[in-house]
Every structure is written in structure tokens, then in C-alpha cells.
Amino acid sequence: MSIKIITDSSCDLPDELLKKLNIEIVPLKVSFENGETYLERFELNPVLFASKMRSFKTLPKTSTPDPATMITAFTKGLSEAENVLFICLSSMLSGTCQTAYTACYSIGSDRIRVFDSKSVSLGTGILAIKAVQMAEQGFTLNEIFENLSIIRKSSEVIFTLDTLENVVKGGRLKRHEGLLGNLINIKPIMRINEEGLVEIVERTRGRKKATKRLLDMIGEYAGESVKNRLIGISHVNCLTEAEDLAAAIKNRYKPREEIIISEMGSTIGTYAGEGGLAISL
């Protein structure tokens, strides 16, 4: 039974992996204050996004793919395989899942399933990779869906921000609080919780302490299982730090699989801001 895996552009998987694993992506939209709107990844790469984000006073706005785009992607998927599995970013942070359900209803096929990753960035991307691996091993659509539900329960996405500027721009923090936080060099540590929402778990002083805490928290959350986990690091314009963090993870935890390093796209990068650094496992 052939199964086509589709995800959305917030997955942050590198292009070479998407091509290798034959994973299709449906783009979210990104709009800037001057009225310019782009399809994430298709028309706006992470480098151009980071440059544009710096040049505006207000944050860009992200929006879900329209139902017609979803219908086209799902119909194409059904022309290539017997079944389609769409894995989307957290339904608590985006309406993408709901749009996907609307598209499924319009198509009227029971050969399409929608899976809410309850995650972001490479947290979603890693679930898509796992789905491909299971499909290649001959798992049925229902078996993959059930196994992903189990994997999701123990998955983690933890991240830190280098600046509070975007949190202030997005209205999640008052300007004077953001200015004070930046002044005393506060670097929040956040995670995606079980409901798929962002929560602050710690506040550290300084970037080095923040990245060290991320490294420590891998073991605290994953325990001995970390060796068998697929780990991803996504970042907003801080590749050197991402590579240094990957080297530290390899040295301490010795994961069996190669660590994925990727640039964070506009959907998640909008809120993480310049220097945002996330670990997914």
C-alpha cells in the first residue's frame, strides 16, 4: 500500500531531505507591513525573510494555505499513491490543520488523513520523516497514524531567543519589559507543551548559559532514549552556533543518527526572531 506524506512549509526540513524522502510541502503565506505577500519557501527563503524582518517595525503576519491549495496538493498526492497523510504544525498555533480538514471534506475521500503534530519546526519535520520510514517498511495508513500518536507524546521542542524584540513586536511582552530584558541580557528558554502551545520554562542570563541549558535539557527530557532519537536543530541566521550545539550534542549524547541542521522558515522564525535556536527530538 503506497502512502504519500505531505507536510506544511513550517516543518523546516532541508530541501535535500524533502527531495530524498519524496515529501511534499504545502506553503503557508507571509505578509509584510508594506503589503507584500509571499509563499513560504516557494517565494521567500529564510535568508531573504530574515533580511526583510529586520527592515520593518512590525512583525510579518503568517496565514494558512487556502483550501484550494490544500485540495490541489491532496489530489496530486492521491494520483501518486493509494493514500495521503498530511502532517501539520500545531493546531493550537495555526489554522492549517482546520484548513486541511476542510479540504478533505471537499474532496470526500477516506484515503486522506490529517495528523496534528502538536509541534513546530523540525518537531513537525521529524514526524514526517518517521512517517516516510514507516511507509517504506509497509505500515498501513492507520498503523502510521497510531504510531505517530505514540511518538508525539515523547517528542520535545525546546528553544531560546537571542532577542526579545519580536516578542515585543508581536504583543506578547510589553515594550518596557522587553527593553529591560534585553538590558539585563535575559534569554528565555521555551518549549512546546503537550497541548502544542508555547510555554516559558526558564529564564537565563546570557546566550552561553541559554545554549548550555538547552544541551542539559536534552538529557533531562529524553533520558537514555536520546541515543536512538532523531535530533534536529533549526535556527534564524546563527548557523555557527547551531553547528557548535550539534557538535556538543554528539560529544555528550552520541546519537546514532546524523543531526539535522536547518534554517528556520518564516512561520516560526517570525516569533523566534534573529538568533532564534531550537532543538527538536
Side-chain angles (χ1 to χ4, degrees):
M1 178 182 293
S2 59
I3 301 171
K4 179 68 176 181
I5 307 302
I6 303 175
T7 185
D8 62 64
S9 57
S10 74
C11 70
D12 290 337
L13 287 172
D15 289 339
E16 59 269 21
L17 258 182
L18 291 170
K19 184 176 180 180
K20 178 183 177 182
L21 299 176
N22 195 27
I23 298 173
E24 298 290 338
I25 57 172
V26 179
L28 279 79
K29 299 175 183 177
V30 187
S31 301
F32 294 90
E33 64 181 52
N34 65 351
E36 293 178 351
T37 298
Y38 299 87
L39 297 178
E40 183 180 28
R41 294 187 67 146
F42 288 76
E43 299 174 339
L44 185 68
N45 63 43
V47 175
L48 179 58
F49 161 71
S51 174
K52 283 185 169 292
M53 183 170 61
R54 286 192 298 269
S55 66
F56 292 111
K57 291 183 179 180
T58 59
L59 286 183
K61 295 180 179 179
T62 58
S63 57
T64 67
D66 57 76
T69 300
M70 287 282 194
I71 290 170
T72 299
F74 292 169
T75 303
K76 180 176 180 291
L78 288 177
S79 73
E80 299 174 3
E82 295 176 67
N83 296 282
V84 166
L85 176 60
F86 179 65
I87 302 172
C88 59
L89 80 159
S90 173
S91 61
M92 300 299 290
L93 301 174
S94 168
T96 302
C97 262
Q98 187 56 51
T99 303
Y101 288 128
T102 300
C104 288
Y105 180 79
S106 297
I107 295 172
S109 173
D110 60 1
R111 296 190 291 133
I112 308 171
R113 295 288 299 274
V114 177
F115 185 84
D116 181 356
S117 72
K118 295 188 178 179
S119 191
V120 299
S121 190
L122 286 174
T124 302
I126 287 172
L127 289 175
I129 291 173
K130 296 291 185 184
V132 170
Q133 292 172 340
M134 286 187 277
E136 290 175 344
Q137 294 170 30
F139 285 71
T140 67
L141 184 60
N142 285 338
E143 287 171 339
I144 294 174
F145 198 95
E146 291 171 4
N147 286 334
L148 287 179
S149 299
I150 295 170
I151 295 169
R152 182 177 60 190
K153 290 179 181 179
S154 61
S155 296
E156 290 289 344
V157 176
I158 49 177
F159 58 98
T160 187
L161 309 181
D162 192 43
T163 174
L164 299 176
E165 181 180 355
N166 280 32
V167 184
V168 172
K169 284 183 178 180
R172 295 171 182 264
L173 192 66
K174 293 180 180 178
R175 179 161 294 278
H176 72 274
E177 293 174 326
L179 290 172
L180 178 62
N182 283 332
L183 184 65
I184 61 178
N185 206 18
I186 292 295
K187 309 296 181 185
I189 305 289
M190 303 178 177
R191 71 183 286 264
I192 304 299
N193 65 21
E194 291 74 16
E195 284 82 38
L197 289 167
V198 178
E199 63 178 17
I200 297 177
V201 291
E202 291 183 22
R203 292 176 175 84
T204 60
R205 294 282 293 273
R207 181 71 161 184
K208 288 186 178 180
K209 287 184 179 179
T211 53
K212 184 180 183 302
R213 275 303 294 144
L214 288 181
L215 183 63
D216 293 340
M217 290 167 74
I218 292 172
E220 293 169 11
Y221 283 124
E224 287 298 316
S225 73
V226 68
K227 292 181 179 180
N228 300 315
R229 299 238 189 162
L230 178 57
I231 299 173
I233 300 174
S234 50
H235 66 94
V236 181
N237 203 26
C238 54
L239 176 60
T240 299
E241 286 182 285
E243 291 175 335
D244 289 344
L245 183 56
I249 293 171
K250 290 177 185 177
N251 182 59
R252 181 184 297 193
Y253 298 109
K254 297 175 175 55
R256 293 186 171 91
E257 296 196 60
E258 189 65 27
I259 295 173
I260 300 169
I261 299 178
S262 72
E263 294 175 300
M264 205 178 289
S266 47
T267 300
I268 310 304
T270 292
Y271 301 100
E274 192 90 8
L277 190 62
I279 301 174
S280 304
L281 64 151

